[in-house]
Structures are given as structure tokens and as C-alpha cells.
Amino acid sequence: MITTSSSQHISASRPPQTTPPIATAPPTATPVLARAARIVINLAIMLAIVTAGLVAGTGTSDAATTRARIAEIAEAEVGKNEADGSCLKFGPCTTTPWCAYFTKWVWKTAGITELPDTYAARGVGLWAQERGQFSPRPADGIGNPEVGDLAVYGTPANATGGHIGVITAVHSNGTLTTVDGNYGDKVARRTVDPRRTTSGVDSLKISGYVKPTGVQTPTTKGRVFHNLRAAADGNWTGAGLVDGNAEITDTAEAGDRDGRLHVLPLLNGQVFHNVRGTNGQWTGASLIDGNGAISKVAAATTSNDDLHVLTLLNGRVFHNMRTTDGQWTGAQVADDNGAISDIAAAGDRDGRLHVLTLLNGQVFHNVRGTNGQWTGASLIDGNGAISKVAAATTSNDDLHVLTLLNGRVFHNMRTTDGQWTGAQVADDNGAISDIAAAGDRDGRLHVLTLLNGRVFHNMRGTDGQWTGASVSDPSGRIVTIAAATTPNGDLHQATLAP
């Protein structure tokens, strides 16, 4: 790790949004059918009541979805304020401090049934402490914050002077993204360092985190499976086990010009390399980066067939390259920012490597030229609430960037003249948790999405039209996905599942 590259950060506008579809009312029943219709409706209502009772009695069954839902609900309220009264739905925001009103409203809206009985921020901490739901932050440490938790400023007490916010992202460098009510008289998104940031009238540090009831930390580890969509007929082979370790936390993949597939699993903070030959046989995983603290991995090949591996370590991006003779250069710093939370990579036909980084919910683009020099990171999507990023190039050399925002997928494209189209909705589902992308030899873009543990495949044709998402893996237990194509047009899907 001997070279560094600085990053430039410039402003950009919020990506365009789409108008939700408008529902139309069903036609009115004819008089002859009216009575029968009423009977059916009454039965439906009774069934709904019974079903609601059963659901209410089961509590929260899908921990990952619930925590994600808490974050999505909070993020959607950013900008609500006292000036126009849009904050009044949370509580009496124009007459009293309302940060705890906001956090309680978010939890309640997300379906959390056990809610604080106080609207004092530090009092919420005390309420949680008495119920065993408070996780204290150690002195000079970060503690155990999770998405969906409430960050409490000031020690738990029946006292005022503190503050409270909803955690919507936890970053590898220890910082948090929170959404806070009554911050500057509005709902605001912040990036905070639990060890240093202060808030509230008394300028207090975070003392700990309030955990929602019935929600556990979702599984984020698993084994690597491989699924293949044949170019010839569009059929999937079905997922087959590639690496049975079960402690793998991330994976990436890239295809080379000789038709081989390179898979990069991340295990105990170390990166391994496995190759699938054109005969379908695997070489087995070998260690290529034994750092031990790596949190994310991405991969791409360039037109000269070099394999590029990008890793995220303490919010910084490192670049490692396997040349055509099979030798590795070793990891060197590509972006020294220190707060990056996600990475993606794609190679183009001119031999350049495109790296996309996610910083404070914004996407930056960095290019490594054929001479090994980096352009430096420039802002391409300043939304501020993006949670994931993926990238791919297509045969015409367009660069496609996919982002995940509040469970919806957006598509942005850099054409060969270097211009960006701007982000447009590609999948408006609202509950997607992961994305991956790959371009094929015919200029089509393949996008994989993860929804409730299942993988869906969507394809963008050369005319810019989307086919719509269809299931490619119905497992229901998948925790992360990766995608790559090989020169014969086959699409390879790598998944991580227990």
C-alpha cells in the first residue's frame, strides 16, 4: 500500500423521480349483482380482520425487512419542517421539542408495537435501559449500532437537554447516517461519528442505542452458489454450490475474454480467488489478500484481460490487479477518503477501469487509465440517500450505473461522449435490498435484484426498454448477489446464502 490518490467532490443535482402510477376505481356493480357483491365484501372484511389478528399476534418475522423499512420510512421524511407545518403529523412540532416524537412515529409506522412512553430523548434511553433494550456505547468506542436503532445523545435519565435520531446506515469507518427530527427545525439527514459528534441543548455525545423489539440482526454470511443463464436459450441451470465455507460475507465476479469466470469471496476480512474454466470446473479458492479487515469486494476485467479487484478497508478503496501472466500486483490505495461505504467496478473496451464509490449516500466516479493513473473521484449522483451501487459496461462501451434508493433501483448511463443521462427508475418495487449488473456481447444490460431473499432478473435492451423482473432464484435465503457475463453471452449469477 504505497501510492495514494486524492478525491475531488463536486455538487450535483438530485436524480429525477418518477410519478407513481394512479389507481383507478373498479366499475360499479349492476343492481342485479349488488346484493351478492355486498355479501362478498362483508366476507372479505371478516377475513381481513381475522388475518390482521393473526399477523399482529406473530410479531416481526423478517428482521432484515423491518430494519430496512425503518430506514426507508425515516429517509422519506427528510425535509419535513416547522415552517410549513409538514412536521405536524409527527406531533406538536411547532410548540415543543419533537425529536423523540419523530423517532416514535417512525417506529410505529414501521410496525414496531412496543414504543417509548416518553417524548424526552434521554427519557427514551432510560425507558429502553429499564427494558433491556439499550446498548451502551463504550468510552472512545462506537458500540453496536444497527440500522433501525435510535441513537441517544446524553446518558439515559429522566432529564432534558439531549437529542435522538434514527440510524439509517452504518459505515465501515465507524460513522453513522442518521435521520433526525427537530434538527434545525426540520427532519434532516446527518453523518455522525459516535465518538465525537454532539447534539441537543447540552451538546451531549451519543451514549448508546435503543433496539426495536422483535428485531434481530439478519444473517449476512453464507456459502457461494453459482447459477448460469445460457445465451442460447435464456434458461437458468439452477444454483450449484461453489464454496461451502458458510462464513463468507461478500462476493464479486468477473468474466475474462477466454470465457473463464473469476469469483472473489470475502472471508474473515480476506479475499480469495476462484476460477471456473470453460469446461465448468473450478480451480478452488486461493488467498490473494490476507489483510483481515476488508469489508467489501468488487471485480472487473479490462479489454487486455487483466483482472482488477477493488477492496474496501476502513472506508478507503484499494486496487489489486492480476495480469495475464497470473501475477498479482498487490493492493494499493485508489481512494483514500476514509468514509466510503460501497464500491463497484467495470472495465471498458479501451482498457480503462471505472470505479464507482458510495460516500454519504452519493455516488462518485473514478477512472484508471491504461497508464495506471487515476482521474480522481467526481460526483455523478448527489442524491444523499443511496444505499448500494453497481456498475457494468455494454459492448458499445456505455457505462451503466445502478443505484438503490429506498428499495428502488435507478439507472444512470455514461455514453461514449462522457455525458451522463441522469438517474431514472428501473425498478420501483420499494423493498429491494441488493443489486448487481453485467453487460453482454449484444449490448444488453442485465440487472439482478434481491427481494425477500429471492433473486430477480431484469434486462435492458439496446432500445432502452426493460423486460421487467422475473425470478432467477426463488431460494428465499439469499443475502447478497453478484453478476458477470462471459464472451459467449452467458450470464453468471453468484449468490451468498446460508
Side-chain angles (χ1 to χ4, degrees), residues 14 22 28 52-53 168 203-204 206 241 260 294 296 325 331 343 372 389 412 450 455 476:
R14 186 179 182 86
I22 299 173
T28 304
T168 59
S203 298
L204 303 172
I206 291 175
L241 184 64
R260 296 170 299 188
I294 294 165
K296 295 271 187 180
D325 61 1
I343 48 174
V389 62
N412 197 352
L450 183 62
V455 182

Side-chain angles (χ1 to χ4, degrees), residues 447-494:
V447 176
L448 302 179
T449 53
L450 183 62
L451 174 65
N452 296 328
R454 299 188 299 163
V455 182
F456 291 77
H457 171 240
N458 200 349
M459 186 166 60
R460 182 183 186 272
T462 54
D463 59 357
Q465 299 301 306
W466 295 91
T467 59
S470 59
V471 176
S472 60
D473 193 323
S475 163
R477 304 183 66 200
I478 295 165
V479 296
T480 193
I481 51 178
T485 53
T486 39
N488 64 351
D490 289 344
L491 170 65
H492 300 263
Q493 173 181 291

Side-chain angles (χ1 to χ4, degrees), residues 223-405:
R223 301 174 295 165
V224 178
F225 292 80
H226 170 255
N227 198 350
L228 181 144
R229 180 184 184 271
D233 57 13
N235 291 321
W236 293 91
T237 59
L241 184 64
V242 173
D243 194 318
N245 188 281
E247 293 295 315
I248 295 167
T249 54
D250 196 17
T251 189
E253 59 178 358
D256 67 24
R257 65 185 180 190
D258 295 323
R260 296 170 299 188
L261 178 70
H262 301 264
V263 174
L264 291 302
L266 181 63
L267 173 66
N268 297 325
Q270 300 175 313
V271 180
F272 292 77
H273 176 230
N274 199 349
V275 183
R276 181 184 185 272
T278 54
N279 61 357
Q281 300 299 305
W282 295 90
T283 60
S286 58
L287 183 66
I288 64 166
D289 192 325
N291 180 280
I294 294 165
S295 59
K296 295 271 187 180
V297 62
T301 52
T302 40
S303 55
N304 63 351
D305 224 26
D306 287 339
L307 171 64
H308 302 262
V309 177
L310 288 302
T311 52
L312 193 61
L313 173 64
N314 296 326
R316 300 188 298 164
V317 178
F318 289 78
H319 170 253
N320 197 352
M321 186 173 71
R322 181 182 185 266
T323 53
T324 52
D325 61 1
Q327 300 300 307
W328 292 93
T329 59
Q332 300 190 8
V333 175
D335 193 320
D336 203 28
N337 181 280
I340 294 165
S341 58
D342 199 15
I343 48 174
D348 67 24
R349 65 185 179 191
D350 295 323
R352 296 170 300 189
L353 176 69
H354 300 264
V355 175
L356 289 303
T357 53
L358 184 62
L359 173 65
N360 297 329
Q362 301 175 313
V363 180
F364 292 79
H365 174 232
N366 200 349
V367 184
R368 182 184 185 271
T370 54
N371 61 358
Q373 300 300 305
W374 295 90
T375 59
S378 58
L379 183 64
I380 63 166
D381 192 325
N383 179 281
I386 294 165
S387 58
K388 298 258 185 190
V389 62
T393 51
T394 41
S395 53
N396 64 350
D397 225 25
D398 287 339
L399 171 64
H400 301 262
V401 176
L402 288 304
T403 52
L404 193 61
L405 172 65

Side-chain angles (χ1 to χ4, degrees), residues 85-223:
S86 55
C87 61
L88 286 168
K89 66 178 182 178
F90 312 128
C93 63
T94 57
T95 58
T96 189
W98 52 279
C99 59
Y101 281 91
F102 173 72
T103 56
K104 182 174 181 177
W105 180 90
V106 169
W107 269 17
K108 184 177 181 179
T109 305
I112 305 302
T113 56
E114 296 184 23
L115 303 168
D117 56 6
T118 175
Y119 292 104
R122 296 177 65 184
V124 174
L126 181 61
W127 172 85
Q129 190 177 65
E130 292 172 346
R131 300 164 63 88
Q133 294 173 228
F134 187 76
S135 176
R137 182 185 67 83
D140 299 322
I142 295 166
N144 182 34
E146 298 175 90
V147 170
D149 288 353
L150 307 182
V152 178
Y153 293 81
T155 55
N158 187 18
T160 58
H163 184 66
I164 192 168
V166 181
I167 298 174
T168 59
V170 179
H171 306 297
S172 58
N173 65 340
T175 62
L176 311 173
T177 298
T178 66
V179 174
D180 303 9
N182 198 28
Y183 189 80
D185 297 333
K186 63 184 179 181
V187 179
R189 182 186 303 109
R190 309 171 63 197
T191 298
V192 302
D193 185 336
R195 298 158 294 190
R196 300 177 181 86
T197 304
T198 61
S199 277
V201 175
D202 295 338
S203 298
L204 303 172
K205 289 184 178 180
I206 291 175
S207 63
Y209 314 99
V210 179
K211 306 289 182 177
T213 55
V215 180
Q216 303 298 321
T217 302
T219 300
T220 57
K221 298 179 181 180
R223 301 174 295 165

